[in-house]
Amino acid sequence: MYGVLPARFELCLVGPSAGPVRSAQGPEVVARYSYRDAPPPDIVLVPGGIGTRVLVEDHWFLDWLAGWAAGTELVTSVCTGSGVLAAAGLLDGYRATSNKAAFAWPVSQGPKVDWAPQARWVEDRDRWTSSGVAAGIDMTLAVIAGIHGEDVAASLADAVEYEWHRDPTWDPYAAKYGLCQG
Amino acid sequence: MYGVLPARFELCLVGPSAGPVRSAQGPEVVARYSYRDAPPPDIVLVPGGIGTRVLVEDHWFLDWLAGWAAGTELVTSVCTGSGVLAAAGLLDGYRATSNKAAFAWPVSQGPKVDWAPQARWVEDRDRWTSSGVAAGIDMTLAVIAGIHGEDVAASLADAVEYEWHRDPTWDPYAAKYGLCQG
């Protein structure tokens, strides 16, 4: 969603080294900066995907992420990205959520996190975590609304014809995956 | 959505040359093949975005696309990608739709197309066109349902916590953008 507002947000992908990074889904994207060279961000967004399972074993990466994210205005995650934030200690003492289809895994990464098993996304001070991929769209629209106003976010959702769920407690998936009673 | 089922679909990005291609939104992806070297596809998906405005002026590209797409099982588009298909003549005699916020532009590219101003997506034989970006998710789930069954598509939507609109006629955006009465 940030990418549709290039005058307001500059998207910057970072990776192990500058250059192509292959997704577990096949396609490659280009990291503009290596972790070491990445400039200080305003907003951090950690995505999910199966690659998260390797990242949480990489202690150099987790230390780097903890330092890089520490001074930012907002640290966010989509899907199992909250498992990576948790492994880096960035969610200790925070309330957070994650993908309902894989909820046990992020929980295993953050024993000091107050995990919410039913939430579209969770806003806790400067740490916002969203559930499965599509929930990340709703959370990001809420981030944009907080910075640029509700009208900007609503216009953006209409322009891409996305039915925005504005209520962070809307979550029919928790029951589908047995995390609460339906 | 195809990317979440890597055992069933192989995603392959193609571009002017193999290597990085920068989106108007900022980030770069990597084209695996140049247009000239791209192997025959099973499904073509033409995305939208502001880059479409340049593509429809590139007659070499349009001729290549018409030939590359001609023998495939299914040619699809998301958002203003249908304007590119139209400019390549691939929608002549077909019913099609596009992003409601920019509807006049694709229409201008296809005088021989039967444009549907109110539709989430349109399935007309081997040409499926969707409306704004999010509508492309719904259409793609319908493509997946057609190939692998409704249950596979529904499970995928649940796994990424996307509320799938299964009805191709669902379209509140046409009225929002003055294309029909609300």
Side-chain angles (χ1 to χ4, degrees):
Chain A
M1 285 291 174
Y2 298 123
V4 191
L5 298 173
R8 297 175 191 259
F9 296 96
E10 183 185 1
L11 277 172
C12 182
L13 306 181
V14 303
S17 56
V21 179
R22 184 177 297 282
S23 161
Q25 298 189 2
E28 291 174 290
V29 296
V30 178
R32 197 194 305 179
Y33 297 105
S34 69
Y35 297 140
R36 285 182 195 277
D37 295 331
D42 298 310
I43 299 173
V44 170
L45 189 162
V46 175
I50 203 68
T52 56
R53 309 308 194 272
V54 178
L55 285 176
V56 298
E57 303 296 331
D58 182 341
H59 294 282
W60 184 90
F61 168 78
L62 295 175
D63 285 348
W64 168 81
L65 179 62
W68 191 62
T72 61
E73 289 180 42
L74 189 60
V75 177
T76 69
S77 64
V78 174
C79 192
T80 48
S82 55
V84 177
L85 292 180
L90 286 159
L91 296 179
D92 286 356
Y94 282 85
R95 187 163 173 79
T97 196
S98 195
N99 187 340
K100 301 310 151 27
F103 202 69
W105 181 78
V107 167
S108 75
Q109 299 300 314
K112 298 177 185 170
V113 181
D114 177 15
W115 292 103
Q118 188 171 29
R120 186 69 171 167
W121 74 91
V122 170
E123 306 174 5
D124 187 357
R125 292 160 286 166
D126 56 347
R127 303 282 190 268
W128 290 24
T129 50
S130 62
S131 193
V133 181
I137 304 174
D138 296 320
M139 177 192 73
T140 301
L141 286 166
V143 171
I144 292 169
I147 298 171
H148 294 294
E150 191 90 3
D151 288 353
V152 169
S155 295
L156 175 57
D158 281 351
V160 301
E161 301 185 33
Y162 180 73
E163 194 178 34
W164 179 17
H165 294 286
R166 302 185 187 212
D167 176 3
T169 70
W170 178 84
D171 182 9
Y173 302 98
K176 285 192 179 184
Y177 289 101
L179 299 175
C180 68
Q181 296 190 330
Chain B
M1 285 291 173
Y2 298 123
V4 191
L5 298 172
R8 297 175 191 260
F9 296 96
E10 183 185 1
L11 277 172
C12 182
L13 306 181
V14 302
S17 56
V21 178
R22 185 176 298 283
S23 160
Q25 298 189 3
E28 291 175 289
V29 296
V30 178
R32 197 195 304 179
Y33 297 106
S34 69
Y35 297 140
R36 285 182 195 278
D37 295 331
D42 297 311
I43 299 172
V44 170
L45 190 162
V46 176
I50 203 67
T52 56
R53 310 309 195 269
V54 178
L55 286 176
V56 299
E57 303 296 332
D58 181 341
H59 294 281
W60 184 90
F61 168 77
L62 295 174
D63 285 348
W64 168 80
L65 179 62
W68 191 61
T72 61
E73 289 180 41
L74 188 61
V75 177
T76 70
S77 65
V78 174
C79 193
T80 48
S82 54
V84 177
L85 292 180
L90 286 159
L91 296 179
D92 286 355
Y94 282 84
R95 187 163 173 80
T97 197
S98 195
N99 188 339
K100 301 309 151 29
F103 202 69
W105 181 78
V107 167
S108 75
Q109 299 300 314
K112 298 177 183 170
V113 181
D114 177 15
W115 290 103
Q118 187 171 29
R120 186 69 170 166
W121 74 91
V122 170
E123 306 173 5
D124 188 357
R125 292 160 286 166
D126 56 347
R127 303 281 189 269
W128 289 25
T129 51
S130 63
S131 193
V133 182
I137 303 173
D138 296 320
M139 177 192 73
T140 301
L141 286 166
V143 171
I144 292 169
I147 298 171
H148 293 294
E150 191 90 1
D151 287 353
V152 169
S155 295
L156 176 57
D158 281 350
V160 300
E161 301 185 32
Y162 180 72
E163 194 179 33
W164 180 16
H165 293 286
R166 302 185 188 211
D167 176 3
T169 70
W170 178 82
D171 182 9
Y173 302 98
K176 284 193 180 183
Y177 289 103
L179 299 175
C180 67
Q181 294 191 332

